[in-house]
């Protein structure tokens, strides 16, 4: 992964870890899309817009299913 992509995945991972308790975060793909965008009302050079999509598998430490199974087994 390039430095920009690595930085982006670190940012996403930090947001996920702050939001929920996880036992693992796995990135199994990355898709980048670069597009030239031009405003038809202004005579200016087109801007390059980049979008990055990460394909993640997030494993939470606790889920409702696991809590229900724990109650059933106990």
């Amino acid at each position: 992964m390039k430095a920009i992509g690595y930085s982006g995945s670190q940012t996403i991972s930090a947001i996920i870890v702050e939001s929920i308790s996880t036992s693992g975060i796995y990135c199994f793909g990355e898709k980048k899309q670069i597009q030239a965008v031009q405003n038809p009302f202004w005579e200016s050079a087109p801007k390059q817009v980049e979008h990055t999509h990460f394909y993640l598998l997030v494993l939470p430490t606790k889920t409702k299913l696991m809590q229900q199974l724990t109650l059933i087994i106990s």
Side-chain angles (χ1 to χ4, degrees):
M1 218 185 282
K2 295 180 182 175
I4 294 172
Y6 185 70
S7 172
S9 64
Q10 281 184 327
T11 303
I12 296 297
S13 296
I15 292 170
I16 292 170
V17 168
E18 288 176 7
S19 302
I20 61 173
S21 177
T22 62
S23 61
I25 301 174
Y26 302 96
C27 180
F28 58 91
E30 176 182 348
K31 179 181 176 185
K32 288 191 179 201
Q33 181 180 11
I34 300 172
Q35 186 175 13
V37 178
Q38 184 174 9
N39 189 336
F41 300 108
W42 296 342
E43 292 185 21
S44 61
K47 294 181 183 177
Q48 293 283 69
V49 178
E50 182 177 326
H51 298 281
T52 304
H53 299 265
F54 294 101
Y55 299 93
L56 302 174
L57 173 64
V58 179
L59 301 174
T61 53
K62 293 183 179 179
T63 62
K64 288 184 179 182
L65 177 62
M66 291 302 290
Q67 291 173 351
Q68 289 173 355
L69 288 175
T70 304
L71 290 175
I72 292 171
I73 294 172
S74 299

